[in-house]
């Protein structure tokens, strides 16, 4: 039995999947957080709270590396950790720094930090010769306006250090640029109390379908587990509305996406990571959107597990312990699995979701999760405002997405004014 230090976590699905993977691997974990109340608001998906399975729950300022690293050294001396892990984007660099400080397995901290900064990623990929969009990193609004005119509209404005699609916006003109820039400027601190970098990334708008490549890199070799497709809505935001694994692509397109992901990971120097690399399949070839040095969110890991029998959360646990993960596919009886999200377009209070009983009894259903009545609803501007999801599988072929879309159309959320 190994003992892992888990530094923070998401409060969504991965907060349940990662503790499950640790437990099913026969291991245990100590949880370290700066704000325990962040995790005590709800038990994910109505299940027992995942922190109940922790060996210890400790608090410390996880945003202050200067005090955190010596503290963790003392904890290591008392408790003995075999690995360090997190499922939160904002603490991936911290976990890598702790592992390096303790002499435990893990990816190179500098590589993780570059992958977690969209501007650093763009520069690393460009330096490695990977084709990408024209881009500019801008420190103020005037600089952004000049860069936008040079790149040309339409373009995309991104924060360099947020996730979940937060404040990523399509911009079609100078007025839209001013609105997007100001909205981001009005959000100086992220949800974990970390001050944002005071720069924005402007990118040429890439045209074409978007996919993600799920990989495991270990011992200098990157294994492509598969390619997942993505649907996006909510313009001018980029809200993920659904995914299917595996993506319904030609072998040539799937291999081109996979090779682009391998090159991106190599350019960043990432190893000992599960990665989720988002790619646009443009008319000029695949182009990297971003590289995430952790398992995919939005339950893509569960789509992979349902179809291929490969647990990417468990692979992350094993690599945190310095062990090569088992990536052998296992027969599951499914040829495809898909998820679709219930995305609100109005604000208010959720009164009910009609059609739930019909969907709950549908053939092929794998998961149905819906927000409880009484929840305050905001019109979605990122991937953080879903009212639930439907997941379904297809045993015959790539029909899971069509099945999910049919089930989603049967759901009718009623939102009352506040």
């Amino acid at each position: 039995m190994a003992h892992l230090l888990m530094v923070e976590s998401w409060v969504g699905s991965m907060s349940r999947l990662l503790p499950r993977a640790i437990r099913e691997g026969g291991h245990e974990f100590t949880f370290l957080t700066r704000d325990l109340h962040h995790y005590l608001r709800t038990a994910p998906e109505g299940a027992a709270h995942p922190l109940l399975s922790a060996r210890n729950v400790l608090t410390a300022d996880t945003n202050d590396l200067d005090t955190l690293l010596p503290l963790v050294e003392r904890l290591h001396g008392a408790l003995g950790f075999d690995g360090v892990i997190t499922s939160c984007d904002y603490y991936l660099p911290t976990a890598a720094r702790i592992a390096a400080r303790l002499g435990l397995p893990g990816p190179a901290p500098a590589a993780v930090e570059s992958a977690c900064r969209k501007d650093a990623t763009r520069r690393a990929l460009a330096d490695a010769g990977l084709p990408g969009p024209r881009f500019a990193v801008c420190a103020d609004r005037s600089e952004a306006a000049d860069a936008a005119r040079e790149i040309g509209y339409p373009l995309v404005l991104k924060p360099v250090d947020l996730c979940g699609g937060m404040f990523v916006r399509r911009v079609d003109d100078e007025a839209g640029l001013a609105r997007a820039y100001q909205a981001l400027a009005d959000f100086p601190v992220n949800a974990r109390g970390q001050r944002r970098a005071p720069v924005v990334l402007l990118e040429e708008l890439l045209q074409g379908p978007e996919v993600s490549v799920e990989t495991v890199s270990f011992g200098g070799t990157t294994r492509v587990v598969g390619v997942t497709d993505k649907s996006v809505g909510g313009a001018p935001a980029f809200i993920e509305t659904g995914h299917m694994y595996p993506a319904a692509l030609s072998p040539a397109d799937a291999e081109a996406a996979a090779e682009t992901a391998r090159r991106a990971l190599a350019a960043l120097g990432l190893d000992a990571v599960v990665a989720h690399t988002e790619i646009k399949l443009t008319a000029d070839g695949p182009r990297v959107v971003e590289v995430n040095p952790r398992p995919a969110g939005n339950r893509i890991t569960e789509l992979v597990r349902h179809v291929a029998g490969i647990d990417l959360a468990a692979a992350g646990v094993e690599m945190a312990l310095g062990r090569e993960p088992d990536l052998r596919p296992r027969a599951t009886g499914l040829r495809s699995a898909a998820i679709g999200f219930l995305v609100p377009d109005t604000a208010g209070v959720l009164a009910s979701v009609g059609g739930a009983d019909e969907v709950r009894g549908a053939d092929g259903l794998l998961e149905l999760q819906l927000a409880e009545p009484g929840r305050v609803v905001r019109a979605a501007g990122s991937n953080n405002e879903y009212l639930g999801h439907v997941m379904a599988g297809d045993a015959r072929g790539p029909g899971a997405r069509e099945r999910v879309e049919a089930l989603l159309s049967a759901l009718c959320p009623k939102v009352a004014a506040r």
Side-chain angles (χ1 to χ4, degrees):
M1 174 184 287
H3 182 199
L4 291 111
L5 175 64
M6 186 188 297
V7 183
E8 305 288 0
S9 174
W10 284 127
V11 292
S13 63
M14 193 53 68
S15 69
R16 180 178 65 86
L17 299 178
L18 186 56
R20 183 194 73 187
I22 293 171
R23 183 178 64 253
E24 291 180 356
H27 314 307
E28 58 184 358
F29 69 97
T30 286
F31 187 71
L32 182 65
T33 178
R34 66 184 290 271
D35 180 10
L36 184 58
H37 292 286
H38 188 83
Y39 302 93
L40 299 181
R41 299 170 189 169
T42 60
E45 302 178 23
H49 200 287
L51 290 186
L52 291 174
S53 62
R55 172 173 158 184
N56 308 289
V57 177
L58 307 174
T59 57
D61 189 349
T62 52
N63 290 344
D64 183 356
L65 270 180
D66 289 340
T67 60
L68 181 64
L69 291 176
L71 171 65
V72 170
E73 279 189 313
R74 295 193 295 272
L75 291 174
H76 181 47
L79 300 175
F81 303 121
D82 302 297
V84 185
I85 200 164
T86 184
S87 64
C88 180
D89 291 57
Y90 299 136
Y91 294 97
L92 291 167
T94 300
R97 289 287 174 192
I98 292 173
R101 178 72 166 253
L102 300 183
L104 296 174
V112 175
E113 287 162 3
S114 291
C116 290
R117 282 279 303 236
K118 295 178 178 65
D119 53 343
T121 296
R122 277 281 169 245
R123 292 182 177 120
L125 300 187
D127 290 345
L130 269 76
R134 289 171 291 155
F135 72 93
V137 181
C138 306
D140 58 46
R141 187 176 302 187
S142 175
E143 189 177 348
D146 291 342
R149 284 189 288 270
E150 183 174 344
I151 294 171
Y153 295 101
L155 51 77
V156 180
L157 179 145
K158 298 179 177 181
V160 299
D161 52 3
L162 293 177
C163 50
M166 293 185 68
F167 296 98
V168 178
R169 295 293 183 268
R170 172 179 169 138
V171 174
D172 291 299
D173 51 34
E174 288 193 17
L177 177 65
R179 287 192 299 271
Y181 192 100
Q182 187 59 50
L184 183 55
D186 291 340
F187 190 77
V189 178
N190 70 25
R192 299 309 183 98
Q194 299 168 337
R195 185 159 291 276
R196 286 196 311 100
V199 295
V200 300
L201 178 64
L202 299 184
E203 294 180 355
E204 172 189 8
L205 179 67
L206 296 171
Q207 302 288 352
E210 187 170 338
V211 299
S212 62
V213 183
E214 323 310 334
T215 57
V216 175
S217 299
F218 183 81
T221 299
T222 292
R223 165 90 175 268
V224 175
V225 174
V227 182
T228 310
D229 76 9
K230 177 187 297 188
S231 56
V232 178
F238 294 84
I239 301 171
E240 297 178 3
T241 59
H243 305 277
M244 185 173 76
Y245 180 89
L249 297 176
S250 69
D253 281 345
E255 178 51 36
E259 178 58 21
T260 299
R262 283 191 286 259
R263 291 181 62 194
L265 293 167
L268 289 164
L270 286 167
D271 195 22
V273 295
V274 179
H276 169 72
T277 303
E278 298 176 351
I279 291 173
K280 281 270 193 178
L281 302 177
T282 77
D284 297 319
R287 299 291 185 265
V288 174
V289 175
E290 62 184 45
V291 179
N292 300 282
R294 42 79 177 161
N298 269 353
R299 302 190 75 76
I300 290 173
T301 55
E302 289 297 272
L303 300 182
V304 173
R305 188 176 66 87
H306 279 301
V307 175
I310 297 170
D311 189 336
L312 291 172
V317 170
E318 290 303 295
M319 286 192 293
L321 297 172
R323 304 170 183 175
E324 183 172 5
D326 182 2
L327 299 178
R328 290 174 296 177
R330 292 167 174 79
T332 65
L334 292 181
R335 299 284 299 279
S336 66
I339 187 167
F341 299 99
L342 203 56
V343 181
D345 55 10
T346 58
V349 176
L350 183 64
S352 64
V353 180
D357 289 341
E358 175 187 345
V359 172
R360 196 169 284 114
D363 291 339
L365 182 72
L366 297 172
E367 292 181 9
L368 173 64
Q369 180 184 339
L370 299 172
E372 294 290 332
R375 170 176 160 174
V376 175
V377 178
R378 296 183 298 174
S382 71
N383 298 336
N384 298 324
E385 283 96 26
Y386 299 135
L387 294 181
H389 69 256
V390 174
M391 184 187 295
D394 181 11
R396 296 186 297 274
R401 174 179 283 283
E402 183 178 350
R403 183 61 178 148
V404 161
E405 289 173 351
L407 294 176
L408 267 182
S409 68
L411 295 173
C412 182
K414 294 182 174 60
V415 178
R418 295 184 66 179

